[in-house]
């Protein structure tokens, strides 16, 4: 239900890219009919980072909310489907050197209980199958290079994300926002002007224009032009438990078959991603500059890709990992890289953008378009950042690699939150992990299945020598029947490239904004 503002507000978004245009679209969809004036100021002098090219299933809800069909946006953004993420070589435990983090699917309701049971029993020292890849439909779809879009006669909901060219996605969303009435201006901010109360009164551009607004949205990227520089909101770095500071990226050609997964492969001082688009494979190496130089990182990535003697150009990026202490300060809301960044291991960047915008919209309305609920909003977004950070940190903390100081230092890092420490103690102590996650009230960030897949996928169990044969209770689930069930479900899905050629999922009716 929309509230009616006493006076229509003027909103200025500073910065384009995917974050800026997502904000513009959601705000216009919600408030344009109330008379709100929404404009986006984009500097032609500032480039777009353009490497966040994977999403969680939340991006589908964003497109559905705006009534944008996959058949419209996906071809324009070289997009593909994503069933989940494959993690390779993060663990050295035999039988557990790789695992798949699946997005949820309704058929998992029939198979996931067996995984929860087996992982619990195996932690108790009983020799049952505990690897997550045997229990989830998305794992099978990715392995078979099938698109996670079911045939019409398959009556189950399937969660999936996307891969896309982020630069093209930003441009596409820009055209949609302008069509909704958002005013697009090209200029560079040269000055931010504060009033006596410390709020942003206006911004001055390089063409001499002074732009006033009630709300300013900072989408200026890592520079944090409004939230950090002008309003001096402190930044909380995550460097003590997330070591990575840099990335090097380069493309490779796409093959005949297209993967329906992101691949994350652990390397010497970090990890490499592979993201398949219809036009190319996007590759990158996220690493810590404290453990290797940019030249060493580029050489390692080229070696990993078989491009050591290639003239393919590499791009080097610096990352500012952490978050601001307040995402909504005074009359400014930070969205995207200006508010914070958690390395792209689980493709959470756009998820955080979406949650921030939607959360602000809800709290701004709930407070009758005042700052009444600003503190609650900030606390909510900070909890989300912390919860995602802990899940990412866990990937590093439980690694078993010994091939470099980087991985050894990650494995012995004790700079852990109490939340993560309790999760790990619950798992290795053979206790009920779902109950612990619910006690902490964090299943809304990552569900129990995600935590189980991570910890079981690394093989964090008693050693094979310590395991004992199980009784009928331990072996109550028939793995052959589970495998057959998943394979038969898989018959309802097309090869990825065929699905893309056949046409993406149809438009849905936009949900009420």
């Amino acid at each position: 239900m929309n509230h009616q503002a006493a006076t229509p507000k003027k909103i200025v978004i500073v910065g384009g890219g995917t974050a800026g245009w997502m904000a513009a679209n959601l705000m216009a969809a919600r408030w344009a009919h109330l008379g709100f004036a929404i404009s986006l100021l984009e500097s032609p002098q500032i480039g777009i980072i353009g490497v966040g090219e994977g999403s969680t299933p939340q991006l589908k809800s964003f497109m559905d909310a705006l009534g944008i069909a996959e058949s419209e946006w996906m071809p324009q953004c070289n997009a593909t489907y994503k069933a989940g993420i494959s993690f390779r070589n993060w663990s050295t435990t035999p039988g557990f050197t790789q695992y798949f983090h699946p997005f949820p699917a309704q058929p998992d309701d029939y198979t996931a209980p067996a995984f929860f049971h087996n992982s619990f029993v195996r932690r108790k020292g009983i020799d049952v199958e505990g690897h997550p890849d045997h229990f989830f439909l998305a794992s099978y779809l990715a392995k078979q290079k099938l698109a996670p879009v079911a045939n019409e006669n398959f009556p189950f909901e399937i969660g999936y994300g996307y891969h896309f060219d982020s630069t093209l996605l930003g441009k596409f969303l820009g055209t949609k926002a302008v069509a909704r009435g958002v005013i697009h201006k090209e200029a560079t901010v040269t000055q931010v002007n504060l009033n006596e109360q410390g709020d942003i009164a206006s911004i001055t551009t390089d063409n001499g224009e002074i732009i006033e607004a009630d709300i300013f949205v900072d989408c200026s990227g890592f520079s944090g032009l409004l939230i950090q520089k002008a309003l001096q909101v402190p930044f909380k770095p995550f460097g003590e438990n997330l070591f990575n500071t840099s990335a090097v990226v380069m493309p490779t050609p796409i093959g005949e078959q297209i993967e329906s997964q992101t691949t994350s492969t652990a390397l010497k001082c970090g990890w490499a991603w592979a993201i398949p688009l219809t036009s190319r494979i996007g590759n990158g190496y996220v690493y810590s500059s404290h453990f290797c130089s940019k030249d060493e990182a580029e050489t390692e990535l080229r070696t990993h890709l078989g491009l050591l003697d290639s003239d393919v150009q590499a791009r080097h990026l610096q990352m500012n990992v952490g978050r601001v202490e307040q995402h909504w300060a005074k009359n400014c809301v930070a969205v995207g890289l200006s508010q914070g960044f958690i390395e792209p291991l689980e493709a959470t960047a756009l998820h955080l953008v979406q949650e921030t915008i939607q959360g602000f919209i809800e709290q701004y309305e709930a407070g009758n378009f005042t700052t009444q609920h600003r503190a609650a909003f900030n606390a909510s977004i900070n909890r989300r950042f912390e919860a995602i950070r802990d899940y990412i940190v866990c990937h590093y903390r439980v690694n078993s690699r010994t091939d470099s100081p980087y991985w050894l230092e990650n494995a012995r890092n004790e700079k852990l939150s109490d939340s993560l420490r309790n999760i790990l103690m619950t798992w290795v102590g053979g206790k009920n992990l779902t109950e612990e996650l619910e006690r902490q009230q964090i299943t809304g960030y990552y569900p129990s299945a995600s935590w189980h897949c991570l910890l079981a996928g690394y093989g964090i169990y008693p050693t094979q020598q310590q395991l004992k044969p199980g009784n009928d209770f331990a072996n109550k689930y028939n793995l052959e029947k589970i495998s057959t069930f998943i394979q038969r479900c898989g018959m309802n899905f097309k090869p990825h490239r065929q699905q893309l050629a056949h046409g993406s999922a149809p438009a849905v009716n936009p949900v009420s904004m």
Side-chain angles (χ1 to χ4, degrees):
M1 178 178 177
N2 290 332
H3 296 260
Q4 181 66 51
T7 304
K9 303 295 183 181
K10 184 176 181 182
I11 298 175
V12 172
I13 301 166
V14 177
T18 308
W21 289 116
M22 285 181 75
N25 274 283
L26 288 176
M27 290 179 175
R30 188 74 170 221
W31 292 329
H33 74 284
L34 299 180
F36 280 42
I38 302 170
S39 59
L40 184 144
L41 183 69
E42 192 171 28
S43 173
Q45 301 174 13
I46 301 174
I48 297 172
I49 289 181
V51 294
E53 300 192 323
S55 85
T56 63
Q58 279 76 11
L59 185 60
K60 186 177 189 304
S61 71
F62 168 84
M63 294 296 184
D64 288 350
L66 298 174
I68 300 174
E70 291 177 353
S71 56
E72 179 183 6
W73 79 267
M74 288 184 69
Q76 293 191 46
C77 301
N78 298 333
T80 62
Y81 291 102
K82 174 181 173 183
I85 307 171
S86 177
F87 291 88
R88 299 176 181 176
N89 300 334
W90 289 71
S91 168
T92 60
T93 301
F96 295 88
T97 56
Q98 69 178 55
Y99 78 97
F100 187 81
H101 181 190
F103 290 142
Q106 231 175 0
D108 297 341
D109 293 345
Y110 297 93
T111 57
F115 171 54
F116 289 134
H117 169 83
N118 279 23
S119 65
F120 181 78
V121 169
R122 190 175 177 107
R123 283 187 286 133
K124 292 293 188 181
I126 306 301
D127 190 7
V128 295
E129 179 57 69
H131 197 293
D133 287 7
H134 299 285
F135 300 92
F136 293 93
L137 175 60
S139 304
Y140 176 82
L141 298 179
K143 185 176 181 180
Q144 301 299 322
K145 297 181 176 62
L146 301 174
V149 180
N151 294 334
E152 189 176 355
N153 62 345
F154 191 64
F156 298 97
E157 291 186 14
I158 307 296
Y160 56 81
Y162 307 98
H163 305 115
F164 47 84
D165 184 312
S166 59
T167 300
L168 294 179
L169 179 60
K171 291 178 180 178
F172 173 85
L173 293 176
T175 63
K176 287 294 181 180
V178 170
R180 290 180 180 274
V182 174
I183 299 170
H184 181 207
K185 297 183 177 183
E186 289 196 351
T188 301
V189 175
T190 57
Q191 186 173 322
V192 181
N193 310 303
L194 306 183
N195 62 22
E196 293 180 356
Q197 291 74 40
D199 291 290
I200 299 176
S202 63
I203 54 176
T204 304
T205 69
D206 57 354
N207 58 17
E209 184 179 7
I210 297 176
I211 304 174
E212 298 178 342
D214 298 292
I215 293 291
F216 289 87
V217 182
D218 188 349
C219 296
S220 63
F222 282 132
S223 68
L225 180 64
L226 306 183
I227 197 77
Q228 295 182 51
K229 291 181 178 176
L231 296 181
Q232 297 291 299
V233 173
F235 185 84
K236 179 182 178 180
F238 289 164
E240 68 178 12
N241 44 34
L242 285 175
F243 298 167
N244 293 337
T245 59
S246 310
V248 53
V249 301
M250 63 182 71
T252 52
I254 190 69
E256 182 61 30
Q257 292 185 309
I258 300 178
E259 298 272 4
S260 55
Q261 63 182 356
T262 300
T263 302
S264 167
T265 304
L267 299 180
K268 186 178 179 181
C269 297
W271 58 276
W273 77 72
I275 293 179
L277 308 184
T278 58
S279 57
R280 59 174 166 80
I281 297 176
N283 304 283
Y285 181 16
V286 177
Y287 65 96
S288 171
S289 59
H290 300 295
F291 290 87
C292 74
S293 69
K294 62 185 295 187
D295 289 340
E296 290 171 331
E298 181 176 336
T299 297
E300 187 175 8
L301 178 59
R302 287 185 179 277
T303 302
H304 171 67
L305 298 174
L307 297 176
L308 195 56
D309 299 320
S310 170
D311 58 359
V312 174
Q313 292 297 305
R315 233 175 4 123
H316 290 267
L317 306 167
Q318 294 297 118
M319 305 187 304
N320 196 19
V321 178
R323 63 163 175 81
V324 292
E325 292 186 0
Q326 296 172 280
H327 307 264
W328 179 4
K330 299 292 185 177
N331 62 335
C332 175
V333 183
V335 177
L337 298 178
S338 64
Q339 70 178 131
F341 181 69
I342 302 174
E343 62 174 75
L345 186 59
E346 289 280 353
T348 53
L350 292 190
H351 170 76
L352 285 165
V353 166
Q354 190 173 338
E355 290 292 332
T356 299
I357 302 164
Q358 291 175 332
F360 170 72
I361 288 172
E362 292 167 4
Q363 297 289 16
Y364 195 41
E365 285 187 359
N368 197 26
F369 302 96
T370 69
T371 60
Q372 178 182 349
H373 297 299
R374 185 169 58 193
F377 167 83
N378 284 325
S380 174
I381 300 301
N382 281 340
R383 283 194 299 270
R384 187 169 293 276
F385 263 85
E386 305 291 320
I388 293 174
R389 178 206 59 192
D390 285 349
Y391 188 70
I392 301 300
V393 168
C394 189
H395 290 70
Y396 294 96
R397 180 60 177 81
V398 300
N399 94 86
S400 55
R401 293 175 64 117
T402 59
D403 58 317
S404 72
Y406 170 88
W407 290 107
L408 291 170
E409 191 66 23
N410 270 292
R412 56 176 170 248
N413 181 22
E414 291 301 322
K415 301 288 187 179
L416 309 178
S417 70
D418 290 340
S419 171
L420 179 54
R421 198 177 299 277
N422 287 333
I423 288 171
L424 294 177
M425 289 175 62
T426 298
W427 180 269
V428 298
K431 298 177 182 178
N432 190 311
L433 180 60
T434 300
E435 288 183 357
E436 174 61 23
L437 296 171
E438 291 174 347
R439 183 191 71 79
Q440 294 191 31
Q441 298 182 330
I442 58 175
T443 54
Y445 307 118
Y446 279 98
S448 182
S450 293
W451 282 101
H452 274 81
C453 284
L454 194 169
L455 296 167
Y458 277 67
I460 303 175
Y461 292 121
T463 64
Q464 190 65 43
Q465 292 74 22
Q466 295 172 315
L467 295 176
K468 302 175 183 178
N471 54 22
D472 289 342
F473 170 76
N475 293 291
K476 70 174 185 175
Y477 288 102
N478 186 314
L479 291 185
E480 186 175 342
K481 289 184 178 179
I482 289 173
S483 178
T484 299
F485 172 79
I486 291 174
Q487 289 179 34
R488 292 177 70 179
C489 287
M491 296 171 67
N492 293 277
F493 298 82
K494 298 180 180 67
H496 197 179
R497 188 178 283 279
Q498 182 181 335
Q499 177 64 41
L500 292 169
H502 178 267
S504 305
V508 299
N509 293 324
V511 299
S512 174
M513 288 296 295

